[in-house]
Amino acid sequence: QVQVVESGGGSVQTGGSLSLSCAASGRIFSFNSMGWYRQAPGKQRELVATITSGGATNYADSVKGRFTISRGNAKNTVYLQMTSLKPEDTAVYYCNIYWANSNYWGQGTQVTVSS
């Protein structure tokens, strides 16, 4: 069994910054990729950013230059640094781990950006 736990998030005003953290534990020994997805009310879940075990990153066009994904020193951890936040970034953010042909998801953390 694999557990994925997010932390961080919260409420900020436009232009502010927030950081998200994610840690995976349990029967997981590595990962193919880790990443962040988000889902706004009434919308489908969408990719925000991913990072592979080799360190390659991928970002949604809407967050390029504002968000940074990175791996932690601890095994199976990933961070998302969000700057210059906009109201349209408001969503529930989910951590994802892809490993051994399976996807594992966290419970989600709310990010709210007010104008």
Side-chain angles (χ1 to χ4, degrees):
Q1 189 175 2
V2 176
Q3 296 81 39
V4 180
V5 179
E6 304 111 337
S7 61
S11 298
V12 294
Q13 292 187 328
T14 297
S17 299
L18 285 173
S19 294
L20 304 180
S21 301
C22 174
S25 60
R27 296 183 60 82
I28 181 168
F29 306 104
S30 182
F31 66 91
N32 300 103
S33 69
M34 294 183 74
W36 294 93
Y37 292 72
R38 66 187 181 187
Q39 188 168 17
K43 295 187 177 181
Q44 290 187 331
R45 190 173 298 189
E46 62 177 4
L47 179 146
V48 176
T50 59
I51 186 167
T52 68
S53 58
T57 58
N58 181 47
Y59 294 94
D61 288 342
S62 59
V63 306
K64 283 181 180 177
R66 299 188 299 122
F67 291 11
T68 303
I69 190 170
S70 61
R71 294 176 299 177
N73 292 327
K75 186 179 177 182
N76 298 333
T77 60
V78 66
Y79 304 102
L80 186 69
Q81 178 67 34
M82 304 182 290
T83 63
S84 301
L85 284 161
K86 305 174 182 180
E88 50 263 44
D89 294 317
T90 295
V92 177
Y93 284 68
Y94 296 91
C95 181
N96 169 269
I97 296 174
Y98 180 67
W99 178 70
N101 296 318
S102 295
N103 279 296
Y104 300 92
W105 296 91
Q107 78 286 354
T109 185
Q110 178 70 44
V111 171
T112 302
V113 185
S114 59
S115 58

